[in-house]
Amino acid sequence: MEQLNLIINNLECASCASAIEKTFKKFKKNDFLNFSIILSSKKLKISFDSSKVSKEEILNLLAEKKFDYQEI
């Protein structure tokens, strides 16, 4: 599993966190992507199987949903 750690600059509330959860729901149910959201520090930590989903796909999904992110 690969790791991706992000700061989501516009992660302001529980509703934003819920939107991220919905974005990754299809991946999580297939058990090749896990994530945790730390609302207080605006962090999103993602573990994923790169043979099933690419880093670019993950970042593109966030961009499509208008999340402003930075890799850390």
Side-chain angles (χ1 to χ4, degrees), residues 33-50:
L33 182 142
N34 292 301
F35 62 92
S36 64
I37 301 168
I38 305 168
L39 190 57
S40 62
S41 60
K42 299 184 176 190
K43 290 183 181 175
L44 174 60
K45 296 181 179 185
I46 304 170
S47 301
F48 63 99
D49 181 345
S50 60

Side-chain angles (χ1 to χ4, degrees), residues 53-68:
V53 62
S54 71
K55 176 181 168 181
E56 290 76 22
E57 286 178 278
I58 293 168
L59 296 177
N60 286 340
L61 280 173
L62 289 170
E64 286 174 12
K65 299 295 183 179
K66 308 292 187 220
F67 286 105
D68 178 33

Side-chain angles (χ1 to χ4, degrees), residues 8-39:
I8 308 294
N9 295 311
N10 54 343
L11 182 60
E12 303 289 332
C13 61
S15 179
C16 296
S18 178
I20 289 173
E21 289 176 2
K22 288 177 185 174
T23 299
F24 294 125
K25 185 177 181 179
K26 70 177 180 178
F27 295 122
K28 190 171 181 176
K29 74 179 177 183
N30 290 321
D31 204 30
F32 55 81
L33 182 142
N34 292 301
F35 62 92
S36 64
I37 301 168
I38 305 168
L39 190 57

Side-chain angles (χ1 to χ4, degrees), residues 3-7 41-45 70-72:
Q3 300 288 321
L4 181 58
N5 295 300
L6 304 170
I7 296 286
S41 60
K42 299 184 176 190
K43 290 183 181 175
L44 174 60
K45 296 181 179 185
Q70 295 174 307
E71 279 191 68
I72 53 172

